[in-house]
Amino acid sequence: MTKDNNSYKNVRFKDNVNLACFNDLESVIFEKHPELAKLKNILINAGALSSLLAGSGPTVFGLFDEQKKAVSCRDGLADSYPVLILTRTQ
């Protein structure tokens, strides 16, 4: 797409974040460790725009567009997961 194309101006990261987030190892890792797939689904259901296995695991992260959603998700998972890190981009 060129900058002159009107559709380029209307593309928003928030609406297309899933197009940029993929990890080919997820299918292999999730088959062996279904609890990681479950966590990914929990993050999506909690309002994450996308969720992904980081590298070859065991970290799973979610991308949220609102701090309130991220904090609520983190607080809801705190009793089940020993390490939860909430951070934000600049």
Side-chain angles (χ1 to χ4, degrees), residues 63-64 87-90:
L63 300 173
F64 291 84
T87 188
R88 65 177 219 164
T89 58
Q90 296 286 332

Side-chain angles (χ1 to χ4, degrees), residues 1-2 10 12-14 17 19 24-25 42 44 51 66-68 77 89:
M1 252 185 267
T2 66
N10 295 323
R12 294 177 16 177
F13 176 76
K14 177 180 170 182
V17 67
L19 297 176
D24 289 337
L25 286 175
I42 289 170
I44 294 293
S51 179
E66 296 177 22
Q67 183 178 1
K68 179 178 156 183
L77 292 170
T89 58

